[in-house]
Amino acid sequence: MDLLDWHRGRLTSRRLAVLVKHMPRDSAVSRELDGDGAEWTVTDYLLAAAVDHLAAANWMFASVNTDEDAEPPEPPAPVPRPGDVTEPEEIPDEGLAPSQAPSRSELLRFFA
């Protein structure tokens, strides 16, 4: 396929748009538009979410079952995903920040 065919009138704009839209994930256009996310499929995102949820569940279980005087376990770091530009923040000794901590209703749903 020659892109000059569009300029010469042998390739319609609609056909060119369809070809560009349905390019494979490993094409240069997809990598330019989506960055590292071009290589991740829906399955990859779901697997990363499942790993994060399992790690959080294990952390909650360990937190609930530790002695009150013992040092609480450190919360798990999420699996890095494409497009994450920030480094994971250091967790203060006081525990999770209020925005990161699970709410009471989330804990009740989890342990119910």
Side-chain angles (χ1 to χ4, degrees):
M1 161 102 10
D2 188 3
L3 288 180
L4 287 177
D5 287 343
W6 177 75
H7 181 68
R8 293 177 187 136
R10 292 185 228 156
L11 182 66
T12 65
S13 296
R14 182 177 187 276
R15 177 73 176 145
L16 179 61
V18 168
L19 289 172
V20 170
K21 183 178 179 180
H22 296 287
M23 284 192 161
R25 287 190 176 277
D26 60 347
S27 68
V29 173
S30 292
R31 286 180 188 240
E32 182 66 31
L33 293 176
D34 299 327
D36 293 336
E39 296 177 12
W40 276 53
T41 63
V42 173
T43 306
D44 295 329
Y45 283 104
L46 290 173
L47 185 59
V51 168
D52 287 345
H53 284 87
L54 284 171
N58 289 335
W59 173 74
M60 283 190 271
F61 181 79
S63 296
V64 170
N65 291 313
T66 55
D67 189 25
E68 291 180 7
D69 298 330
E71 185 76 24
E74 294 206 15
V79 173
R81 289 164 175 78
D84 288 348
V85 291
T86 59
E87 294 293 323
E89 295 179 10
E90 290 293 322
I91 305 297
D93 291 339
E94 295 83 34
L96 289 174
S99 63
Q100 295 174 325
S103 68
R104 178 181 164 89
S105 61
E106 289 173 330
L107 289 173
L108 287 173
R109 272 197 318 250
F110 179 79
F111 287 109

